[in-house]
Amino acid sequence: MALRLGSLLAPRARRCASTLAADGSYAVAVDNPYSGETYCEVGYKTSAEALAAVDASAAAQRAWAAETTVEQRVAVCAKFMEAIKADADRIANDISGMMGKPVAHARGEIGGMMERCEMMMALAPKALAPDVLPAKDNFVRTIEKDPVGVVLCIAPWNYPLLTTVNCVVPAVLAGNAVAIKHSPRTPLCADAFERAFLAAGAPEGLVTALHCGHGEVEDVIAREAVGFVSFTGSVRGGREVYGAVAKHRFIDATLELGGKDPAYVAEDADVAAAAAGLVDGAMWNAGQSCCGIERVYVHESNYDEFLAAAKAEVDAFVLGDPAAAATSMGPLALPGAPAFLQGQVDDAVAKGATLLAGGAAGPDASGKGRFFTPTLLGDCDHAMSLMVDESFGPVLGVAKVAGDDDAVELMNDSAYGLSACVFTKDHDRALALSKRVATGTFFQNRCDYLDPALPWTGVKNTGKGVSLSEHGFRGVTRLRNFHAKLDASA
């Protein structure tokens, strides 16, 4: 067996409690972040079982690629969407029970997933069609886009549907099979994908839930049938996955990793709109988003007004039972998250930050849940961990700047580069700033949204590769040239 990737997905998706049987098999139990009770228990495959599942996927893939057209694959994906919608209540309750997201927000994630499916289905015929080169006497030259085989999708828990669909649907449309290794925090989401594709009429093995441990993941990566790896998770996990790929195979991997996304509120901004948009972008999903806003730089002329407006937005969140309609923020998914956030807040206050709202870990009013109160801090600077290290929770630091140059310098002072934004009424100014900030996506007057028509990518420790848009088919296809001389004697 290969060396174990002991910290794969760390720190965002540490392994949950496991039980070992006498025969060496084991199961992983997932606790409900609100009640503390076990929500589900999932049996994990041995290395031999995981490899057998991949081999079965490879057989299904060969038939899928040979016997279906792009149009037929689009039709199956449309039926997959209908199956997900029919299963929506079960899926939403599972997401909430495993990682704490309010049930209403989990249903909203299903809607976002549909948007991405529809876009990739619409783009597939053009994106996957052969490129025909300009005419040349006596020659025909085309560039074909072949499937890579079995795609290994290693998915995270924070948006367990959205992050997974970014890989699965383009892969299936391109003629691949997909093995989904979901986070041990949200394993039932992999089952939901497998179940829905089977209901849609896809062959057994085309989309497979691959429940296994870190060592088995490396064994799977080494399998010849695997042609591409899609990983979403931590920087540390990304390095280990990329290292495992390089160790065993000459295949590519997309790594969608961390973020410490900044925002700039310029002197001509609509301050009320900026505060509402940025607090939402920072606190949605309890701040557990790689593209969530984690630091804000406000022009000195708007600083006090922004803090007052932002505090009102932060104070409006309702923490509680994720099943309750009134709850707008659920508990944190990981047991260690509240203590980590407390450390960041305490460090910031000790170094001069002003705590304006929140700042405490603990249960809700009923004594349940691992919550961290939505937190706003002013007077922040880059000596504080809160402004440079990924928080992945409902905390937001704000700093005062003198103008565009100061803002750009601080926005770029980061190991990450996923998204960034500016609130300004001047479009030309926003466009000029976008060219100075190192980031994958730059927003004007909005944040924290993936338009599936645009490529999702990043720079620096945010990772490598692309998902979504027409460019999102690149990783799940390989190019093959067809070069024909029509008259051999000419």
Side-chain angles (χ1 to χ4, degrees), residues 260-263 293-297 382 387 396-397 410-411 414:
K260 190 71 183 174
D261 289 4
I293 295 298
E294 294 208 359
R295 51 200 174 105
V296 179
Y297 306 99
H382 282 214
M387 297 298 281
L396 181 62
L410 291 168
M411 293 170 87
S414 175

Side-chain angles (χ1 to χ4, degrees), residues 238-378:
R239 292 190 190 282
E240 293 192 357
V241 168
Y242 203 33
V245 171
K247 176 181 176 181
H248 297 289
R249 308 292 308 286
F250 293 115
I251 60 174
D252 201 5
T254 287
L255 308 172
E256 297 188 8
L257 312 178
K260 190 71 183 174
D261 289 4
Y264 171 39
V265 181
E267 70 267 26
D268 67 337
D270 181 328
V271 175
L278 294 176
V279 168
D280 182 70
M283 303 295 166
W284 190 258
N285 201 33
Q288 299 166 126
S289 174
C290 56
C291 61
I293 295 298
E294 294 208 359
R295 51 200 174 105
V296 179
Y297 306 99
V298 182
H299 190 273
E300 56 192 4
S301 63
N302 290 326
Y303 187 71
D304 292 338
E305 181 184 357
F306 177 83
L307 288 179
K311 183 181 185 318
E313 297 286 342
V314 170
D315 289 341
F317 282 94
V318 177
L319 281 60
D321 185 347
T327 298
S328 56
M329 183 178 292
L332 295 171
L334 301 185
F340 174 79
L341 295 172
Q342 190 71 66
Q344 281 198 322
V345 171
D346 292 347
D347 168 75
V349 171
K351 292 175 179 175
T354 302
L355 181 62
L356 300 169
D364 68 0
S366 68
K368 293 183 179 181
R370 47 175 174 260
F371 289 93
F372 197 85
T373 53
T375 299
L376 178 69
L377 298 106

Side-chain angles (χ1 to χ4, degrees), residues 17-43:
S18 61
T19 55
L20 183 66
D23 63 359
S25 63
Y26 65 95
V28 172
V30 182
D31 73 309
N32 182 312
Y34 183 68
S35 70
E37 300 172 350
T38 296
Y39 183 81
C40 64
E41 190 169 292
V42 176

Side-chain angles (χ1 to χ4, degrees), residues 148 150 152 220-229 242 244-246 248-254 464 475 478:
V148 298
V150 178
L152 174 61
V220 168
I221 288 172
R223 202 66 160 185
E224 185 177 356
V226 173
F228 179 73
V229 179
Y242 203 33
V245 171
H248 297 289
R249 308 292 308 286
F250 293 115
I251 60 174
D252 201 5
T254 287
K464 64 175 291 294
R478 63 167 58 95

